[in-house]
Amino acid sequence: MKGGVGGEVAEAPAGPPPPLEWKFSQVFGERTAGEEVQEVDIISAIEFDKSGDHLATGDRGGRVVLFERTNTKELVGSRRELERVDYPVSRHPEFRYKTEFQSHEPEFDYLKSLEIEEKINKIRWCQTANGALFLLSTNDKTIKYWKVQEKKVKKISEMNIDTSKAAGNGSVASSSLCSSPKQCLANGGCGDEAYSSSSNDLSFPPEGIPSLRLPMVTSNETSLLARCRRVYAHAHDYHINSISNNSDGETFISADDLRINLWNLEISNQSFNIVDVKPANMEDLTEVITSAEFHPTHCNTLAYSSSKGSVRLIDLRQSALCDSHSKLFEEQEAPGSRSFFTEIIASISDIKFAKDGRYILSRDYMTLKLCDLYENDSIFDKFECCLSGDGLRVATGSYSNLFRVFGCAAGSTEATTLEASKNPMRRLVQTPSRPSRSLSSSLTRVVRRGADNASVDANGNSFDFTTKLLHLAWHPTENSIACAAANSLYMYYA
């Protein structure tokens, strides 16, 4: 933007987006007071399509319910027609019920004496074609490929006879061939004997029917028809926990506890096993697959999570069986912190790629983690921390040769940023009103971002990711800190 004297003025960096203000939009299937919820009605899966115009839900009863956005279909017509209409702009998207169908039924595996429930575990939308909607749905064992399309309802009209006087189905069509109960009529009518054997309730005009008018088929109404195009079965020995579409639009993966299979949408009788973590001896089993997801743009890349809290990125170009990963994301377990519940709460329940494919979001029982996929070794940096002798302060290093000192006593607002140089106070940051928030946001944002050599933290400070202060120590009895910046050792006291 240009200044008042015609000079160029640099634009200020955009600040963080303001917080969202959530408001109620609508509800489907609201319970009345005291109403008991049926087990089969509990929703077990939900998924938007890529456009956001359709929403699919699956329940424990094996049903799939589709909803469509209403304020997009109402804006149909030529530009001139739309200009004539004073159409109020909707403040938020609204959806309406579209259709529903029974996707899965309860089954019984007689070979394993196992009952397979109809509950929908996952729903994934596929690419649309010719105005039809396509989606995948799965229960514990069977995946189905559905096509939902509008069909025109055909009706027969323009009959010769008054259908209100006709009795029974099928007598109307035969009545157009008879014009009078008289025998040997010129227009091909039948006699009394033949007539009495065909129908005795039809009423014909006494002068006969002058001409034969063929019935016409009209289609004025439409109805939605869901048809199962493919069934992908008998490929998983364990319960399916994930399905994911590939960006190529032709293949998808399905994952259970020990294997991940690659399918072609058009071939239902065979699949390719691409990941197999089943050991030769099941007693040696230490972790299972909990979720799997294809990369949104790279058709050769997918990620899967495990019960140990790790996320593995694999490349299908490396080998046919991808037992070795390309990259591993995991949080190292602190020594001595292992307990009976450690592995349970560390198990990742779901992973999702960001829309641009750069980040993976994972969820375990306690936390939500965001991993950066940018090829930068900064995500592997290990910063040390230390505690003062009296236990009232903590310190840790950061990028740009900075280190931070935080007061950890109750009610303390101390939060100081120092630089490993001869003038450590030149990077001093104003004391925030909520230091605990500043502590968490500053550190996590530095680790998350790895795209550039320079960035900013939550306090607005710029960072150079090529210089880092990894090691520091606090004197055991005095307020003195020693820190290492590259090959230099700096010491500070207070």
Side-chain angles (χ1 to χ4, degrees):
M1 88 186 210
K2 297 196 178 214
V5 283
E8 296 282 340
V9 178
E11 292 186 1
L20 298 174
E21 184 180 354
W22 294 94
K23 296 180 180 179
F24 174 79
S25 174
Q26 56 189 141
V27 61
F28 295 95
E30 185 179 16
R31 270 194 307 162
T32 59
E35 182 183 358
E36 184 179 355
V37 179
Q38 300 295 322
E39 181 78 13
V40 294
D41 294 332
I42 297 177
I43 295 176
S44 56
I46 185 169
E47 184 81 5
F48 276 103
D49 69 346
K50 286 186 178 181
S51 67
D53 292 337
H54 294 91
L55 173 68
T57 63
D59 59 26
R60 295 188 179 183
R63 293 166 298 189
V64 173
V65 183
L66 304 184
F67 301 89
E68 65 177 351
R69 189 169 174 174
T70 58
N71 53 355
T72 56
K73 279 203 165 186
E74 291 174 359
L75 286 172
V76 176
S78 65
R79 180 176 178 180
R80 183 172 297 179
E81 291 174 350
L82 295 177
E83 288 175 351
R84 292 197 193 106
V85 179
D86 186 15
Y87 182 79
V89 178
S90 178
R91 294 183 294 110
H92 55 81
E94 293 183 355
F95 287 81
R96 65 185 175 192
Y97 171 85
K98 186 178 180 72
T99 187
E100 68 178 85
F101 55 90
Q102 188 72 30
S103 175
H104 288 74
E105 300 281 356
E107 302 174 25
F108 189 82
D109 190 339
Y110 293 97
L111 295 177
K112 298 181 179 180
S113 297
L114 180 67
E115 185 177 354
I116 305 172
E117 62 179 351
E118 66 271 29
K119 179 176 77 75
I120 304 296
N121 291 339
K122 294 288 181 180
I123 296 175
R124 290 291 182 267
W125 290 91
C126 302
Q127 293 182 356
T128 60
N130 300 324
L133 303 175
F134 296 88
L135 53 90
L136 290 167
S137 63
T138 182
N139 63 353
D140 289 338
K141 296 292 184 180
T142 306
I143 308 165
K144 294 186 179 181
Y145 185 40
W146 291 91
K147 177 182 180 181
V148 182
Q149 190 175 26
E150 288 187 351
K151 291 288 186 180
K152 293 183 178 181
V153 179
K154 297 180 179 179
K155 292 185 177 180
I156 297 177
S157 62
E158 297 189 16
M159 300 291 290
N160 280 71
I161 197 169
D162 187 4
T163 56
S164 61
K165 298 181 181 179
N169 295 330
S171 60
V172 177
S174 62
S175 65
S176 61
L177 301 177
C178 305
S179 59
S180 174
K182 302 294 181 183
Q183 195 171 7
C184 301
L185 295 177
N187 61 357
C190 22
D192 292 336
E193 298 166 1
Y195 170 74
S196 60
S197 62
S198 60
S199 176
N200 49 13
D201 290 328
L202 294 176
S203 176
F204 296 92
E207 66 278 5
I209 298 177
S211 62
L212 179 63
R213 189 163 51 188
L214 295 175
M216 295 189 64
V217 178
T218 59
S219 54
N220 298 325
E221 299 178 2
T222 59
S223 66
L224 285 167
L225 177 65
R227 184 169 63 91
C228 183
R229 294 194 60 192
R230 301 280 189 278
V231 177
Y232 314 92
H234 311 300
H236 289 276
D237 293 330
Y238 304 92
H239 290 179
I240 299 173
N241 54 49
S242 304
I243 53 175
S244 178
N245 306 82
N246 198 346
S247 58
D248 61 9
E250 297 179 356
T251 57
F252 71 95
I253 56 171
S254 59
D256 62 19
D257 292 341
L258 299 180
R259 293 185 176 93
I260 299 178
N261 294 332
L262 178 67
W263 300 83
N264 188 296
L265 283 171
E266 301 300 325
I267 302 173
S268 60
N269 58 0
Q270 70 174 2
S271 63
F272 299 94
N273 179 233
I274 57 176
V275 175
D276 190 349
V277 299
K278 184 179 180 181
N281 185 1
M282 287 297 288
E283 293 181 357
D284 299 331
L285 182 66
T286 58
E287 62 180 335
V288 296
I289 299 171
T290 57
S291 183
E293 187 87 2
F294 256 123
H295 192 279
T297 56
H298 300 323
C299 61
N300 59 283
T301 305
L302 62 97
Y304 70 91
S305 60
S306 75
S307 58
K308 280 192 171 181
S310 61
V311 177
R312 291 175 172 85
L313 202 67
I314 64 176
D315 192 340
L316 297 177
R317 298 172 296 184
Q318 287 184 340
S319 63
L321 187 61
C322 303
D323 287 339
S324 59
H325 54 266
S326 302
K327 185 172 287 189
L328 174 66
F329 301 92
E330 64 179 353
E331 191 172 355
Q332 296 296 332
E333 187 177 307
S337 63
R338 187 172 182 83
S339 66
F340 177 76
F341 298 102
T342 302
E343 189 169 332
I344 298 176
I345 64 175
S347 178
I348 295 177
S349 59
D350 190 26
I351 59 172
K352 288 287 188 299
F353 275 98
K355 188 176 182 180
D356 58 1
R358 177 174 169 177
Y359 298 97
I360 296 178
L361 186 67
S362 66
R363 171 64 199 260
D364 58 31
Y365 184 71
M366 299 292 289
T367 58
L368 190 69
K369 298 184 180 72
L370 193 65
C371 304
D372 196 341
L373 301 185
Y374 189 79
E375 296 294 339
N376 191 317
D377 291 338
S378 296
I379 61 175
F380 302 106
D381 290 337
K382 303 181 186 303
F383 293 96
E384 294 180 357
C385 59
C386 57
L387 188 71
S388 65
D390 55 12
L392 297 180
R393 292 171 182 85
V394 296
T396 187
S398 182
Y399 294 101
S400 298
N401 286 339
L402 300 180
F403 65 98
R404 293 182 171 86
V405 180
F406 296 95
C408 55
S412 174
T413 59
E414 180 181 357
T416 307
T417 300
L418 305 168
E419 183 181 12
S421 67
K422 291 183 179 180
N423 183 15
M425 302 301 293
R426 68 179 181 177
R427 300 297 292 266
L428 180 65
V429 179
Q430 298 295 325
T431 303
S433 58
R434 297 181 65 181
S436 60
R437 187 178 182 88
S438 176
L439 168 65
S440 61
S441 61
S442 298
L443 298 182
T444 54
R445 281 186 64 86
V446 169
V447 176
R448 270 184 207 160
R449 301 175 65 106
D452 308 309
N453 287 333
S455 185
V456 293
D457 70 343
N459 294 320
N461 298 319
S462 61
F463 283 102
D464 181 11
F465 288 95
T466 61
T467 58
K468 60 199 74 172
L469 198 154
L470 300 176
H471 311 287
L472 77 170
W474 200 303
H475 192 280
T477 59
E478 298 176 2
N479 288 328
S480 178
I481 295 177
C483 57
N487 61 332
S488 302
L489 177 67
Y490 292 90
M491 298 189 71
Y492 305 95
Y493 72 95

